[in-house]
Amino acid sequence: MKKNFFVFSAGLIVLFSGSLLISEGFSKEDTNESKTISENSTSKPKRIDGEAKTDGFNDLSELVEKSPIIVKGIKQEDVRTEVFKSKIDEAVIGGYTVADFKINEVVKNATTNAKINLEQTIPIAELNFESEGTIYSVNGYEKMNKGDEYLLFLTDEQDEVFATSGVTVGKVPLDSDQLEIYEANLDDSELKHIENIFNEARTEYNK
């Protein structure tokens, strides 16, 4: 059985929902406040971002082609957090947050999964989680905001969760023109590429 969690130990290769991810490890720390944390907060949690090689997409058409599921809907509650620790020293080596997502439109379903239907609520594995006061994420992924609408490009369900294609590029905010990505570890060209895909997706699917 394929393991559907992301492991952050350096150099380890795992499968996450059908996409090959090569982790560079949780080696970077950032005490800057995340965009999803209130500006009025007096304490800034430590943040550690893991880097991973994922499926790349040249443009929106390729993202659509390689994503078996595309849905629009509303982020509901965070259901649970999965955290994986080393048996040797109890260091955090992986994890994710499971969030409920209520579908209000099915754009594409190239699978036989009956869960992908209007008004259904499906579990999304978000590669951003908190453990003991530290926020961990992959490739700058930020969790969806509760109550906001998103366009999600998803891989097929594995181990009862769905995951966004390419981690960050598969989650398109529809209530704003923001990327909702933690930008500290991404260069300008990467951000511009994602922005172009998001703008195309909003034009095409948010009518």
Side-chain angles (χ1 to χ4, degrees):
M1 179 182 294
K2 292 179 181 178
K3 294 298 183 182
N4 254 343
F5 53 83
F6 191 92
V7 181
F8 294 94
S9 54
L12 187 62
I13 301 175
V14 296
L15 287 174
F16 187 94
S17 296
S19 297
L20 182 65
L21 303 182
I22 304 176
S23 172
E24 302 298 337
F26 272 147
S27 59
K28 297 184 178 181
E29 298 187 9
D30 194 336
T31 55
N32 291 328
E33 196 168 25
S34 164
K35 289 184 177 180
T36 60
I37 298 173
S38 170
E39 293 180 357
N40 296 324
S41 175
T42 57
S43 61
K44 297 180 180 180
K46 180 171 70 174
R47 179 171 182 129
I48 301 179
D49 285 276
E51 295 181 354
K53 295 179 181 178
T54 69
D55 289 339
F57 304 97
N58 293 320
D59 50 31
L60 177 63
S61 62
E62 187 174 7
L63 177 60
V64 171
E65 178 186 354
K66 293 184 177 180
S67 300
I69 299 167
I70 306 173
V71 293
K72 290 168 66 174
I74 306 296
K75 159 73 179 287
Q76 308 293 305
E77 303 282 349
D78 287 342
V79 178
R80 68 180 187 276
T81 300
E82 298 285 352
V83 180
F84 307 98
K85 295 185 177 181
S86 167
K87 294 181 179 180
I88 298 174
D89 58 6
E90 289 297 306
V92 173
I93 58 173
Y96 56 88
T97 300
V98 178
D100 276 345
F101 186 82
K102 188 173 183 179
I103 299 171
N104 59 30
E105 182 180 339
V106 178
V107 177
K108 176 185 177 182
N109 182 13
T111 75
T112 58
N113 197 314
K115 294 180 182 179
I116 307 302
N117 277 305
L118 190 65
E119 300 301 320
Q120 285 274 28
T121 298
I122 59 174
I124 305 296
E126 300 201 78
L127 292 184
N128 179 303
F129 64 96
E130 185 170 347
S131 178
E132 298 178 358
T134 297
I135 295 173
Y136 298 84
S137 75
V138 177
N139 293 356
Y141 184 92
E142 293 282 31
K143 291 195 298 181
M144 293 180 284
N145 298 315
K146 179 181 176 181
D148 283 0
E149 185 177 26
Y150 293 85
L151 173 68
L152 299 185
F153 297 82
L154 301 173
T155 60
D156 200 3
E157 182 182 29
Q158 293 181 32
D159 296 344
E160 301 183 347
V161 294
F162 298 85
T164 51
S165 299
V167 184
T168 53
V169 74
K171 183 203 72 179
V172 182
L174 296 180
D175 286 337
S176 75
D177 59 359
Q178 302 300 309
L179 298 183
E180 293 187 15
I181 295 172
Y182 189 70
E183 301 178 4
N185 295 330
L186 299 176
D187 62 34
D188 290 342
S189 63
E190 291 173 312
L191 292 171
K192 186 62 178 178
H193 180 65
I194 295 172
E195 183 180 24
N196 289 339
I197 292 178
F198 280 19
N199 287 339
E200 285 186 74
R202 290 176 179 129
T203 301
E204 180 68 23
Y205 298 110
N206 197 27
K207 299 176 181 178

